[in-house]
Amino acid sequence: MEKGRGRDMLGNIIQMMLVFFWMVMIPAGIGMTWTRWMRRYRHSILMAAIMGWMTMFALAQLLAVPLIIAIGASLHVFTYTWGGIVLTAFIYSIFINRKRMKEVFQYQRERVSRLRDEKYVSLILVLTFISIVFQAVSIAFLWFDHYDDIRYVATAVDAYSTNTMLKIEPVSGQYTGRPVGEMWKDAVAPINIFWALLSKLVMTHPAIFMHMIVPFIFII
């Protein structure tokens, strides 16, 4: 029993580390390539993360649409291709910004120090945290039975479980071999397939990932 709990705890720690790596470090690292040209946001880690996510979304869109429509590739192909390009971009960004990173972290430390001296900052942070938790819990439990949400999550779960992309009708579970009907909306805007990809990378079931992790990261 204790060994099982230990393995579960270790698994949870690994998952949290993977989430932090793929959803915080990677976007911020990639985004530093863009912010180095932004005078106003040159030292902003938040803006770097935003630019990094925009880059990751754009790359996923450019890769997923032809892989789904023209090739009918598997989720693994999409994952390995996207992941390889993203990791390469991350390493490249860290390399070209290696000297600037010290300035960025120093700026962030000074900014935090200034915030500590501001009145009511602690209260605002506490209220913000409560708001984040409330919204994350609301998304997880109150929207779970919505038809569009069920279909949205089911598409990601099918991709995650069967290593396919939009070859199974999410409502009926029938294998179609290609997008049909409403599935074409997902084929041209495959955000649910992207979440399935990230679920693979962070070793978390898509339903948990999409209802708990994604809202928490983006609300923050």
Side-chain angles (χ1 to χ4, degrees):
M1 182 70 71
E2 292 182 358
K3 290 183 179 179
R5 290 179 180 176
R7 285 194 295 268
D8 290 341
M9 183 176 295
L10 178 60
N12 291 334
I13 292 173
I14 292 174
Q15 287 176 328
M16 287 188 289
M17 292 174 63
L18 288 172
V19 167
F20 182 76
F21 178 72
W22 283 104
M23 302 189 73
V24 179
M25 286 184 62
I26 290 287
I30 292 175
M32 289 182 69
T33 300
W34 302 108
T35 56
R36 71 197 306 257
W37 305 110
M38 299 178 181
R39 184 175 180 180
R40 181 176 179 181
Y41 299 105
R42 180 176 174 82
H43 297 112
S44 173
I45 293 180
L46 177 60
M47 180 56 69
I50 292 172
M51 295 302 298
W53 270 109
M54 290 176 64
T55 303
M56 290 160 60
F57 278 129
L59 176 62
Q61 176 77 12
L62 290 173
L63 289 175
V65 172
L67 285 175
I68 293 170
I69 296 177
I71 301 176
S74 67
L75 180 64
H76 285 167
V77 171
F78 180 35
T79 302
Y80 296 147
T81 305
W82 182 89
I85 296 173
V86 165
L87 284 175
T88 302
F90 174 73
I91 294 171
Y92 171 76
S93 181
I94 295 300
F95 177 76
I96 64 173
N97 290 289
R98 62 190 184 282
K99 295 181 179 179
R100 192 168 68 89
M101 289 178 67
K102 185 177 180 180
E103 299 176 9
V104 172
F105 290 124
Q106 180 63 32
Y107 174 81
Q108 298 302 321
R109 283 196 296 268
E110 292 175 356
R111 187 176 181 184
V112 171
S113 297
R114 289 196 299 268
L115 284 175
R116 290 175 182 171
D117 298 330
E118 295 290 337
K119 199 173 182 179
Y120 305 123
V121 168
S122 298
L123 177 60
I124 293 173
L125 290 176
V126 170
L127 292 176
T128 301
F129 179 77
I130 293 174
S131 175
I132 290 170
V133 172
F134 175 76
Q135 292 180 64
V137 171
S138 298
I139 291 172
F141 293 101
L142 299 182
W143 292 2
F144 186 74
D145 58 351
H146 194 279
Y147 170 79
D148 287 339
D149 180 66
I150 293 174
R151 182 183 171 281
Y152 175 70
V153 174
T155 301
V157 172
D158 286 338
Y160 180 91
S161 303
T162 64
N163 189 32
T164 61
M165 294 194 293
L166 299 177
K167 293 185 178 182
I168 298 176
E169 210 287 320
V171 177
S172 66
Q174 180 181 0
Y175 181 82
T176 60
R178 61 184 179 83
V180 296
E182 288 189 0
M183 295 168 66
W184 279 107
K185 295 188 298 184
D186 300 318
V188 296
I191 184 64
N192 40 15
I193 301 299
F194 180 58
W195 296 141
L197 175 153
L198 285 177
S199 296
K200 284 283 187 183
L201 293 177
V202 303
M203 299 170 57
T204 304
H205 191 275
I208 298 173
F209 180 80
M210 296 166 73
H211 279 126
M212 297 299 294
I213 297 175
V214 171
F216 186 79
I217 293 293
F218 283 97
I219 289 172
I220 290 178

